[in-house]
Amino acid sequence: MTGSLVVVATPIGTLDDLSPRAAAALREADLVACEDTRRTAVLLRHAGSTAPMVPSRQHNEAARAADLVRRMRDGARVVLVSDAGMPGVSDPGTRVVAAALGADIPVTVIPGPGAVETALVASGLATGMGYALVGFAPRKAAETQRFLARLDTWSDPVVMFESPRRVPALLTAISAHDPERRVAVCRELTKVHEEVLRGTARELADQIREPLRGEVAVVIAPPAEPPPANEDALAHAIVPMLSAGMSPARAADVVAALGAAPRNAAYRAALAAAAMRDSA
């Protein structure tokens, strides 16, 4: 009889956030695959589980996935957890899930606490329209600049994780790029020393100059809406591009790439410019 894989979201700080369904899954498990057996042992005691554990970390997940699939094919009910939150969301777990699905083993996911949604809502920057999770911020300065420039093209808030010692450098980079961008630094969520600092990038960069303690999630608001484009002025500016042989669509791409106007406004201006040129 084939077993199954149960993916369980675990508390990100407070053990009492473990759901009754998740606790029951841990008690019923034949085996618990986890990142850190010491940390998971505390969770299992809280849930009243005596299930054995095996480590499944980032560096050994591929090999461990094959072993877990073999055990599940032999009938084992395997529960997969990470140190905190949902396995596979900026944590190991994706390879184990993929291996189980590839072997036609039933996979169940038990939802629960997560730092991403908790930080997003606590930040006050949620729009109700979506968000982006980008994992950890780049480490090198040039990569960080490219990363922040890419965020300028997104219309949703961004949630990322950061090492507490690197938060000051990240805030300094954001402030240099866009000092008025709204940012929230969420530290030790759901724990005794939970703290959420909100403000502009400039304000937080001035406030946080030393490394923080604990686990940190950072939420960055989308850029402020640009002022409405003056399409008449754009049209006059685009005429030389058309005279040089550019199509209206290509001219609109250039204007949008330069950040002078959104693509749709630039294209309308390009069509107007074409009409102006043809009537001259």
Side-chain angles (χ1 to χ4, degrees), residues 52-97:
M53 296 174 286
V54 294
S56 181
R57 309 184 186 94
Q58 185 174 3
H59 75 276
N60 75 339
E61 187 180 2
R64 181 63 71 191
D67 173 60
L68 294 175
V69 165
R70 178 185 59 78
R71 295 177 188 237
M72 288 183 281
R73 279 177 168 160
D74 289 340
R77 178 183 175 90
V78 174
V79 169
L80 174 66
V81 299
S82 60
D83 284 347
M86 180 65 76
V89 179
S90 287
D91 276 333
T94 54
R95 290 179 175 179
V96 174
V97 172

mmCIF file of all heavy atoms in Angstrom, residues 52-97:
data_model
loop_
_atom_site.group_PDB
_atom_site.id
_atom_site.type_symbol
_atom_site.label_atom_id
_atom_site.label_comp_id
_atom_site.label_asym_id
_atom_site.label_seq_id
_atom_site.Cartn_x
_atom_site.Cartn_y
_atom_site.Cartn_z
ATOM 1 N N PRO A 52 9.714 9.582 14.461
ATOM 2 C CA PRO A 52 11.152 9.760 14.194
ATOM 3 C C PRO A 52 11.362 10.846 13.146
ATOM 4 O O PRO A 52 10.460 11.149 12.348
ATOM 5 C CB PRO A 52 11.585 8.388 13.675
ATOM 6 C CG PRO A 52 10.337 7.781 13.113
ATOM 7 C CD PRO A 52 9.211 8.287 13.959
ATOM 8 N N MET A 53 12.559 11.428 13.149
ATOM 9 C CA MET A 53 12.878 12.526 12.220
ATOM 10 C C MET A 53 14.071 12.163 11.349
ATOM 11 O O MET A 53 14.937 11.394 11.770
ATOM 12 C CB MET A 53 13.209 13.795 13.011
ATOM 13 C CG MET A 53 12.076 14.358 13.835
ATOM 14 S SD MET A 53 12.647 15.751 14.866
ATOM 15 C CE MET A 53 13.562 14.856 16.135
ATOM 16 N N VAL A 54 14.087 12.725 10.150
ATOM 17 C CA VAL A 54 15.264 12.658 9.286
ATOM 18 C C VAL A 54 15.517 14.060 8.738
ATOM 19 O O VAL A 54 14.575 14.790 8.425
ATOM 20 C CB VAL A 54 15.098 11.670 8.109
ATOM 21 C CG1 VAL A 54 14.985 10.247 8.614
ATOM 22 C CG2 VAL A 54 13.898 12.038 7.259
ATOM 23 N N PRO A 55 16.780 14.475 8.655
ATOM 24 C CA PRO A 55 17.061 15.816 8.133
ATOM 25 C C PRO A 55 16.871 15.878 6.613
ATOM 26 O O PRO A 55 17.289 14.976 5.879
ATOM 27 C CB PRO A 55 18.517 16.053 8.523
ATOM 28 C CG PRO A 55 19.100 14.691 8.668
ATOM 29 C CD PRO A 55 17.990 13.809 9.145
ATOM 30 N N SER A 56 16.208 16.921 6.166
ATOM 31 C CA SER A 56 16.045 17.180 4.736
ATOM 32 C C SER A 56 16.322 18.661 4.523
ATOM 33 O O SER A 56 15.425 19.494 4.585
ATOM 34 C CB SER A 56 14.627 16.821 4.266
ATOM 35 O OG SER A 56 14.476 17.051 2.883
ATOM 36 N N ARG A 57 17.604 18.957 4.298
ATOM 37 C CA ARG A 57 18.048 20.344 4.170
ATOM 38 C C ARG A 57 18.359 20.657 2.713
ATOM 39 O O ARG A 57 18.316 19.775 1.863
ATOM 40 C CB ARG A 57 19.290 20.589 5.028
ATOM 41 C CG ARG A 57 19.151 20.130 6.478
ATOM 42 C CD ARG A 57 20.393 20.489 7.285
ATOM 43 N NE ARG A 57 20.343 19.948 8.635
ATOM 44 C CZ ARG A 57 20.867 18.791 9.016
ATOM 45 N NH1 ARG A 57 21.497 18.049 8.114
ATOM 46 N NH2 ARG A 57 20.778 18.381 10.257
ATOM 47 N N GLN A 58 18.681 21.891 2.465
ATOM 48 C CA GLN A 58 18.930 22.317 1.095
ATOM 49 C C GLN A 58 20.049 21.507 0.447
ATOM 50 O O GLN A 58 19.959 21.119 -0.723
ATOM 51 C CB GLN A 58 19.271 23.806 1.073
ATOM 52 C CG GLN A 58 19.435 24.377 -0.333
ATOM 53 C CD GLN A 58 19.617 25.877 -0.317
ATOM 54 O OE1 GLN A 58 19.677 26.500 0.736
ATOM 55 N NE2 GLN A 58 19.712 26.469 -1.487
ATOM 56 N N HIS A 59 21.118 21.220 1.190
ATOM 57 C CA HIS A 59 22.276 20.564 0.587
ATOM 58 C C HIS A 59 22.064 19.069 0.356
ATOM 59 O O HIS A 59 22.794 18.459 -0.433
ATOM 60 C CB HIS A 59 23.524 20.785 1.446
ATOM 61 C CG HIS A 59 23.549 19.963 2.701
ATOM 62 N ND1 HIS A 59 22.922 20.363 3.857
ATOM 63 C CD2 HIS A 59 24.109 18.762 2.976
ATOM 64 C CE1 HIS A 59 23.102 19.446 4.785
ATOM 65 N NE2 HIS A 59 23.815 18.465 4.289
ATOM 66 N N ASN A 60 21.090 18.450 1.037
ATOM 67 C CA ASN A 60 20.903 17.011 0.845
ATOM 68 C C ASN A 60 19.496 16.672 0.364
ATOM 69 O O ASN A 60 19.114 15.505 0.339
ATOM 70 C CB ASN A 60 21.197 16.251 2.149
ATOM 71 C CG ASN A 60 20.084 16.386 3.190
ATOM 72 O OD1 ASN A 60 19.279 17.318 3.147
ATOM 73 N ND2 ASN A 60 20.037 15.452 4.135
ATOM 74 N N GLU A 61 18.741 17.697 -0.037
ATOM 75 C CA GLU A 61 17.331 17.459 -0.351
ATOM 76 C C GLU A 61 17.144 16.533 -1.545
ATOM 77 O O GLU A 61 16.236 15.685 -1.557
ATOM 78 C CB GLU A 61 16.611 18.789 -0.603
ATOM 79 C CG GLU A 61 15.108 18.613 -0.766
ATOM 80 C CD GLU A 61 14.379 19.928 -1.008
ATOM 81 O OE1 GLU A 61 15.044 20.979 -1.082
ATOM 82 O OE2 GLU A 61 13.153 19.884 -1.134
ATOM 83 N N ALA A 62 17.982 16.654 -2.568
ATOM 84 C CA ALA A 62 17.814 15.809 -3.749
ATOM 85 C C ALA A 62 17.973 14.330 -3.394
ATOM 86 O O ALA A 62 17.146 13.487 -3.771
ATOM 87 C CB ALA A 62 18.827 16.214 -4.823
ATOM 88 N N ALA A 63 19.023 13.999 -2.648
ATOM 89 C CA ALA A 63 19.227 12.610 -2.241
ATOM 90 C C ALA A 63 18.152 12.169 -1.262
ATOM 91 O O ALA A 63 17.667 11.029 -1.323
ATOM 92 C CB ALA A 63 20.617 12.454 -1.613
ATOM 93 N N ARG A 64 17.770 13.054 -0.350
ATOM 94 C CA ARG A 64 16.752 12.701 0.631
ATOM 95 C C ARG A 64 15.399 12.461 -0.031
ATOM 96 O O ARG A 64 14.635 11.584 0.397
ATOM 97 C CB ARG A 64 16.620 13.816 1.669
ATOM 98 C CG ARG A 64 15.580 13.520 2.761
ATOM 99 C CD ARG A 64 15.953 12.302 3.579
ATOM 100 N NE ARG A 64 17.097 12.576 4.441
ATOM 101 C CZ ARG A 64 17.749 11.634 5.095
ATOM 102 N NH1 ARG A 64 17.430 10.346 4.958
ATOM 103 N NH2 ARG A 64 18.778 11.951 5.878
ATOM 104 N N ALA A 65 15.104 13.198 -1.096
ATOM 105 C CA ALA A 65 13.818 13.031 -1.778
ATOM 106 C C ALA A 65 13.656 11.605 -2.298
ATOM 107 O O ALA A 65 12.591 10.996 -2.175
ATOM 108 C CB ALA A 65 13.704 14.037 -2.918
ATOM 109 N N ALA A 66 14.719 11.062 -2.874
ATOM 110 C CA ALA A 66 14.652 9.689 -3.382
ATOM 111 C C ALA A 66 14.410 8.700 -2.252
ATOM 112 O O ALA A 66 13.626 7.749 -2.395
ATOM 113 C CB ALA A 66 15.941 9.357 -4.124
ATOM 114 N N ASP A 67 15.072 8.920 -1.118
ATOM 115 C CA ASP A 67 14.886 8.041 0.042
ATOM 116 C C ASP A 67 13.456 8.128 0.574
ATOM 117 O O ASP A 67 12.837 7.108 0.899
ATOM 118 C CB ASP A 67 15.876 8.423 1.136
ATOM 119 C CG ASP A 67 15.624 7.672 2.434
ATOM 120 O OD1 ASP A 67 15.692 6.424 2.420
ATOM 121 O OD2 ASP A 67 15.351 8.334 3.455
ATOM 122 N N LEU A 68 12.922 9.336 0.628
ATOM 123 C CA LEU A 68 11.553 9.510 1.144
ATOM 124 C C LEU A 68 10.519 8.879 0.212
ATOM 125 O O LEU A 68 9.540 8.284 0.667
ATOM 126 C CB LEU A 68 11.255 10.995 1.349
ATOM 127 C CG LEU A 68 12.074 11.688 2.445
ATOM 128 C CD1 LEU A 68 11.780 13.183 2.461
ATOM 129 C CD2 LEU A 68 11.766 11.079 3.815
ATOM 130 N N VAL A 69 10.759 9.009 -1.088
ATOM 131 C CA VAL A 69 9.845 8.380 -2.044
ATOM 132 C C VAL A 69 9.845 6.869 -1.858
ATOM 133 O O VAL A 69 8.792 6.209 -1.880
ATOM 134 C CB VAL A 69 10.225 8.761 -3.491
ATOM 135 C CG1 VAL A 69 9.533 7.830 -4.499
ATOM 136 C CG2 VAL A 69 9.839 10.210 -3.766
ATOM 137 N N ARG A 70 11.023 6.297 -1.664
ATOM 138 C CA ARG A 70 11.098 4.852 -1.428
ATOM 139 C C ARG A 70 10.293 4.454 -0.200
ATOM 140 O O ARG A 70 9.535 3.476 -0.220
ATOM 141 C CB ARG A 70 12.564 4.434 -1.259
ATOM 142 C CG ARG A 70 12.763 2.954 -0.951
ATOM 143 C CD ARG A 70 14.221 2.639 -0.666
ATOM 144 N NE ARG A 70 14.741 3.402 0.469
ATOM 145 C CZ ARG A 70 14.481 3.084 1.732
ATOM 146 N NH1 ARG A 70 13.723 2.038 2.033
ATOM 147 N NH2 ARG A 70 14.992 3.810 2.712
ATOM 148 N N ARG A 71 10.440 5.232 0.869
ATOM 149 C CA ARG A 71 9.692 4.927 2.103
ATOM 150 C C ARG A 71 8.193 5.080 1.888
ATOM 151 O O ARG A 71 7.399 4.275 2.396
ATOM 152 C CB ARG A 71 10.155 5.849 3.225
ATOM 153 C CG ARG A 71 11.614 5.647 3.659
ATOM 154 C CD ARG A 71 11.976 6.659 4.722
ATOM 155 N NE ARG A 71 13.391 6.666 5.051
ATOM 156 C CZ ARG A 71 13.875 6.468 6.272
ATOM 157 N NH1 ARG A 71 13.045 6.211 7.276
ATOM 158 N NH2 ARG A 71 15.166 6.515 6.498
ATOM 159 N N MET A 72 7.783 6.101 1.149
ATOM 160 C CA MET A 72 6.355 6.293 0.906
ATOM 161 C C MET A 72 5.796 5.192 0.020
ATOM 162 O O MET A 72 4.657 4.753 0.200
ATOM 163 C CB MET A 72 6.112 7.679 0.302
ATOM 164 C CG MET A 72 6.297 8.815 1.315
ATOM 165 S SD MET A 72 5.925 10.470 0.678
ATOM 166 C CE MET A 72 7.429 10.838 -0.245
ATOM 167 N N ARG A 73 6.585 4.727 -0.915
ATOM 168 C CA ARG A 73 6.128 3.597 -1.750
ATOM 169 C C ARG A 73 5.942 2.330 -0.909
ATOM 170 O O ARG A 73 5.135 1.463 -1.249
ATOM 171 C CB ARG A 73 7.137 3.340 -2.870
ATOM 172 C CG ARG A 73 6.983 4.285 -4.052
ATOM 173 C CD ARG A 73 8.046 4.040 -5.087
ATOM 174 N NE ARG A 73 7.752 4.744 -6.334
ATOM 175 C CZ ARG A 73 8.649 5.022 -7.259
ATOM 176 N NH1 ARG A 73 9.928 4.649 -7.067
ATOM 177 N NH2 ARG A 73 8.312 5.654 -8.349
ATOM 178 N N ASP A 74 6.699 2.263 0.186
ATOM 179 C CA ASP A 74 6.557 1.124 1.097
ATOM 180 C C ASP A 74 5.431 1.322 2.097
ATOM 181 O O ASP A 74 5.220 0.482 2.987
ATOM 182 C CB ASP A 74 7.866 0.888 1.866
ATOM 183 C CG ASP A 74 8.963 0.339 0.959
ATOM 184 O OD1 ASP A 74 8.623 -0.195 -0.116
ATOM 185 O OD2 ASP A 74 10.153 0.451 1.327
ATOM 186 N N GLY A 75 4.716 2.454 1.989
ATOM 187 C CA GLY A 75 3.540 2.668 2.830
ATOM 188 C C GLY A 75 3.688 3.710 3.916
ATOM 189 O O GLY A 75 2.744 3.935 4.689
ATOM 190 N N ALA A 76 4.823 4.390 3.998
ATOM 191 C CA ALA A 76 5.032 5.364 5.075
ATOM 192 C C ALA A 76 4.253 6.649 4.825
ATOM 193 O O ALA A 76 4.121 7.107 3.690
ATOM 194 C CB ALA A 76 6.514 5.691 5.216
ATOM 195 N N ARG A 77 3.735 7.195 5.916
ATOM 196 C CA ARG A 77 3.110 8.519 5.886
ATOM 197 C C ARG A 77 4.182 9.513 6.345
ATOM 198 O O ARG A 77 4.542 9.562 7.524
ATOM 199 C CB ARG A 77 1.896 8.552 6.816
ATOM 200 C CG ARG A 77 1.184 9.901 6.900
ATOM 201 C CD ARG A 77 0.050 9.810 7.920
ATOM 202 N NE ARG A 77 -0.600 11.084 8.156
ATOM 203 C CZ ARG A 77 -1.648 11.539 7.476
ATOM 204 N NH1 ARG A 77 -2.158 10.790 6.499
ATOM 205 N NH2 ARG A 77 -2.187 12.710 7.753
ATOM 206 N N VAL A 78 4.693 10.273 5.402
ATOM 207 C CA VAL A 78 5.786 11.205 5.679
ATOM 208 C C VAL A 78 5.232 12.621 5.812
ATOM 209 O O VAL A 78 4.455 13.077 4.964
ATOM 210 C CB VAL A 78 6.847 11.165 4.563
ATOM 211 C CG1 VAL A 78 7.906 12.240 4.786
ATOM 212 C CG2 VAL A 78 7.491 9.781 4.489
ATOM 213 N N VAL A 79 5.624 13.288 6.877
ATOM 214 C CA VAL A 79 5.276 14.693 7.050
ATOM 215 C C VAL A 79 6.525 15.526 6.778
ATOM 216 O O VAL A 79 7.600 15.239 7.312
ATOM 217 C CB VAL A 79 4.731 14.975 8.465
ATOM 218 C CG1 VAL A 79 4.634 16.481 8.712
ATOM 219 C CG2 VAL A 79 3.366 14.332 8.637
ATOM 220 N N LEU A 80 6.378 16.536 5.956
ATOM 221 C CA LEU A 80 7.481 17.417 5.594
ATOM 222 C C LEU A 80 7.275 18.781 6.252
ATOM 223 O O LEU A 80 6.222 19.416 6.078
ATOM 224 C CB LEU A 80 7.547 17.587 4.078
ATOM 225 C CG LEU A 80 8.562 18.590 3.530
ATOM 226 C CD1 LEU A 80 9.990 18.123 3.809
ATOM 227 C CD2 LEU A 80 8.353 18.796 2.018
ATOM 228 N N VAL A 81 8.275 19.230 7.014
ATOM 229 C CA VAL A 81 8.211 20.554 7.636
ATOM 230 C C VAL A 81 9.529 21.282 7.394
ATOM 231 O O VAL A 81 10.552 20.663 7.090
ATOM 232 C CB VAL A 81 7.958 20.463 9.166
ATOM 233 C CG1 VAL A 81 6.643 19.780 9.468
ATOM 234 C CG2 VAL A 81 9.109 19.760 9.875
ATOM 235 N N SER A 82 9.497 22.597 7.529
ATOM 236 C CA SER A 82 10.724 23.384 7.550
ATOM 237 C C SER A 82 10.863 23.975 8.951
ATOM 238 O O SER A 82 10.018 23.744 9.818
ATOM 239 C CB SER A 82 10.689 24.490 6.484
ATOM 240 O OG SER A 82 9.602 25.362 6.699
ATOM 241 N N ASP A 83 11.892 24.734 9.179
ATOM 242 C CA ASP A 83 12.088 25.289 10.517
ATOM 243 C C ASP A 83 10.956 26.233 10.904
ATOM 244 O O ASP A 83 10.612 26.349 12.085
ATOM 245 C CB ASP A 83 13.424 26.043 10.596
ATOM 246 C CG ASP A 83 14.607 25.095 10.678
ATOM 247 O OD1 ASP A 83 14.382 23.889 10.929
ATOM 248 O OD2 ASP A 83 15.745 25.554 10.508
ATOM 249 N N ALA A 84 10.398 26.936 9.933
ATOM 250 C CA ALA A 84 9.306 27.876 10.206
ATOM 251 C C ALA A 84 8.581 28.173 8.905
ATOM 252 O O ALA A 84 9.205 28.331 7.854
ATOM 253 C CB ALA A 84 9.847 29.166 10.812
ATOM 254 N N GLY A 85 7.254 28.228 8.975
ATOM 255 C CA GLY A 85 6.475 28.553 7.788
ATOM 256 C C GLY A 85 6.235 27.358 6.891
ATOM 257 O O GLY A 85 6.261 26.201 7.317
ATOM 258 N N MET A 86 5.990 27.644 5.616
ATOM 259 C CA MET A 86 5.620 26.611 4.652
ATOM 260 C C MET A 86 6.832 26.087 3.896
ATOM 261 O O MET A 86 7.567 26.863 3.281
ATOM 262 C CB MET A 86 4.614 27.187 3.642
ATOM 263 C CG MET A 86 4.155 26.194 2.581
ATOM 264 S SD MET A 86 3.197 24.799 3.251
ATOM 265 C CE MET A 86 1.626 25.624 3.549
ATOM 266 N N PRO A 87 7.092 24.779 3.934
ATOM 267 C CA PRO A 87 8.176 24.216 3.127
ATOM 268 C C PRO A 87 8.009 24.589 1.657
ATOM 269 O O PRO A 87 6.900 24.592 1.125
ATOM 270 C CB PRO A 87 8.008 22.706 3.336
ATOM 271 C CG PRO A 87 7.335 22.592 4.672
ATOM 272 C CD PRO A 87 6.394 23.751 4.739
ATOM 273 N N GLY A 88 9.104 24.930 1.024
ATOM 274 C CA GLY A 88 9.053 25.293 -0.389
ATOM 275 C C GLY A 88 8.901 26.774 -0.645
ATOM 276 O O GLY A 88 9.041 27.226 -1.784
ATOM 277 N N VAL A 89 8.593 27.559 0.389
ATOM 278 C CA VAL A 89 8.487 29.013 0.232
ATOM 279 C C VAL A 89 9.709 29.628 0.906
ATOM 280 O O VAL A 89 9.736 29.825 2.116
ATOM 281 C CB VAL A 89 7.185 29.562 0.850
ATOM 282 C CG1 VAL A 89 7.109 31.072 0.685
ATOM 283 C CG2 VAL A 89 5.974 28.892 0.213
ATOM 284 N N SER A 90 10.750 29.868 0.114
ATOM 285 C CA SER A 90 12.051 30.327 0.619
ATOM 286 C C SER A 90 12.623 29.360 1.649
ATOM 287 O O SER A 90 13.391 29.754 2.524
ATOM 288 C CB SER A 90 11.938 31.736 1.218
ATOM 289 O OG SER A 90 11.777 32.685 0.198
ATOM 290 N N ASP A 91 12.237 28.115 1.574
ATOM 291 C CA ASP A 91 12.724 27.050 2.448
ATOM 292 C C ASP A 91 12.848 25.780 1.607
ATOM 293 O O ASP A 91 12.211 25.664 0.556
ATOM 294 C CB ASP A 91 11.745 26.789 3.603
ATOM 295 C CG ASP A 91 11.942 27.731 4.775
ATOM 296 O OD1 ASP A 91 13.065 28.219 4.954
ATOM 297 O OD2 ASP A 91 10.967 27.975 5.513
ATOM 298 N N PRO A 92 13.634 24.802 2.059
ATOM 299 C CA PRO A 92 13.674 23.528 1.340
ATOM 300 C C PRO A 92 12.290 22.886 1.289
ATOM 301 O O PRO A 92 11.423 23.178 2.111
ATOM 302 C CB PRO A 92 14.639 22.690 2.181
ATOM 303 C CG PRO A 92 15.436 23.673 2.957
ATOM 304 C CD PRO A 92 14.519 24.828 3.232
ATOM 305 N N GLY A 93 12.092 21.996 0.338
ATOM 306 C CA GLY A 93 10.822 21.270 0.254
ATOM 307 C C GLY A 93 10.345 21.028 -1.153
ATOM 308 O O GLY A 93 9.631 20.058 -1.422
ATOM 309 N N THR A 94 10.729 21.890 -2.090
ATOM 310 C CA THR A 94 10.198 21.757 -3.445
ATOM 311 C C THR A 94 10.617 20.443 -4.110
ATOM 312 O O THR A 94 9.830 19.835 -4.834
ATOM 313 C CB THR A 94 10.668 22.931 -4.319
ATOM 314 O OG1 THR A 94 12.100 23.029 -4.263
ATOM 315 C CG2 THR A 94 10.077 24.240 -3.827
ATOM 316 N N ARG A 95 11.842 19.988 -3.850
ATOM 317 C CA ARG A 95 12.304 18.755 -4.493
ATOM 318 C C ARG A 95 11.589 17.537 -3.945
ATOM 319 O O ARG A 95 11.291 16.593 -4.689
ATOM 320 C CB ARG A 95 13.816 18.608 -4.313
ATOM 321 C CG ARG A 95 14.635 19.612 -5.101
ATOM 322 C CD ARG A 95 16.118 19.438 -4.855
ATOM 323 N NE ARG A 95 16.909 20.320 -5.705
ATOM 324 C CZ ARG A 95 18.227 20.380 -5.672
ATOM 325 N NH1 ARG A 95 18.917 19.612 -4.830
ATOM 326 N NH2 ARG A 95 18.879 21.210 -6.470
ATOM 327 N N VAL A 96 11.305 17.544 -2.663
ATOM 328 C CA VAL A 96 10.587 16.414 -2.069
ATOM 329 C C VAL A 96 9.172 16.343 -2.631
ATOM 330 O O VAL A 96 8.680 15.270 -2.997
ATOM 331 C CB VAL A 96 10.562 16.535 -0.539
ATOM 332 C CG1 VAL A 96 9.682 15.431 0.073
ATOM 333 C CG2 VAL A 96 11.975 16.453 0.035
ATOM 334 N N VAL A 97 8.506 17.497 -2.723
ATOM 335 C CA VAL A 97 7.148 17.526 -3.268
ATOM 336 C C VAL A 97 7.155 17.068 -4.720
ATOM 337 O O VAL A 97 6.318 16.246 -5.137
ATOM 338 C CB VAL A 97 6.546 18.935 -3.146
ATOM 339 C CG1 VAL A 97 5.214 19.013 -3.883
ATOM 340 C CG2 VAL A 97 6.355 19.307 -1.684
#
